[in-house]
């Protein structure tokens, strides 16, 4: 095999592995959704006479946001767009900010706000605006991926 065929084979193999990993992530997210629904059912319906504390709600939010991040990672692996990585980072930082423990100071929230602002600055000034506008205008569910 010559060099060009080797590169093409490696590229096709890596695309296949990325698609496989995306599928594994989506299966894990689907199972996580059922687990989250079970927790919500147990907390709010079965034990309805017990008050719900901050830690339970915080745990439910943590699990839901982790599932959202999993879906975004699968999208990032599948679509290979510039903005997909920034969205995954944005959701990760937002999750961290929302789940700050009660005893923590405001410094963690402030650092999160600065990080999110930095991501918006990166998207505004460092990404190719023409390419970003084309990504936004594209159909979010392209037919060739379904």
């Amino acid at each position: 095999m010559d060099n060009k065929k080797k590169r093409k084979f490696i590229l096709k193999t890596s695309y296949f592995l990325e698609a496989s990993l995306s599928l594994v992530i989506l299966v894990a997210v689907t199972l996580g959704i059922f687990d989250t629904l079970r927790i919500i059912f147990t907390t709010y319906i079965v034990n309805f006479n017990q008050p719900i504390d901050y830690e339970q709600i915080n745990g439910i939010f943590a699990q839901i946001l982790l599932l959202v991040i999993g879906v975004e990672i699968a999208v990032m692996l599948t679509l290979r767009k510039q903005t997909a990585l920034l969205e995954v980072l944005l959701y990760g930082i937002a999750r961290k900010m929302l789940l700050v423990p009660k005893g923590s100071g405001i410094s963690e929230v402030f650092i999160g706000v600065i990080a999110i602002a930095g991501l918006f600055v990166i998207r505004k000034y460092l990404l190719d605006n023409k390419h970003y506008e084309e990504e936004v205008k594209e159909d979010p569910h392209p037919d060739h991926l379904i």
Side-chain angles (χ1 to χ4, degrees), residues 13-26 77-78 80:
T13 305
S14 66
Y15 286 160
F16 174 74
L17 290 175
E18 283 181 352
S20 301
L21 289 174
S22 295
L23 187 62
V24 169
I25 290 170
L26 290 177
L77 288 172
T78 304
R80 292 184 195 85

Side-chain angles (χ1 to χ4, degrees), residues 1-123:
M1 256 173 32
D2 63 348
N3 245 355
K4 191 173 184 179
K5 287 184 181 181
K6 285 181 187 178
R7 281 191 232 151
K8 191 173 184 178
F9 173 75
I10 291 171
L11 189 62
K12 284 185 178 185
T13 305
S14 66
Y15 286 160
F16 174 74
L17 290 175
E18 283 181 352
S20 301
L21 289 174
S22 295
L23 187 62
V24 169
I25 290 170
L26 290 177
V27 168
V29 166
T30 303
L31 295 174
I33 289 171
F34 290 124
D35 190 42
T36 304
L37 291 175
R38 181 190 54 81
I39 291 170
I40 291 171
F41 178 78
T42 304
T43 304
Y44 287 100
I45 299 188
V46 174
N47 299 328
F48 70 92
N49 56 353
Q50 295 177 355
I52 299 168
D53 63 346
Y54 174 78
E55 294 301 322
Q56 287 177 320
I57 294 174
N58 203 14
I60 292 170
F61 283 165
Q63 192 159 0
I64 290 171
L65 289 173
L66 189 61
L67 295 174
V68 169
I69 291 171
V71 170
E72 286 297 321
I73 288 174
V75 168
M76 179 185 70
L77 288 172
T78 304
L79 295 181
R80 292 184 195 85
K81 291 188 176 185
Q82 290 180 351
T83 57
L85 176 64
L86 292 177
E87 289 177 9
V88 170
L89 291 173
L90 183 66
Y91 285 122
I93 294 168
R95 178 180 186 267
K96 181 68 177 166
M97 285 177 59
L98 290 174
L99 303 176
V100 172
K102 278 184 177 179
S104 294
I106 194 74
S107 62
E108 288 185 27
V109 175
F110 183 67
I111 290 171
V113 169
I114 291 173
I116 288 176
L119 289 176
F120 281 118
V121 166
I122 288 171
R123 186 160 71 178

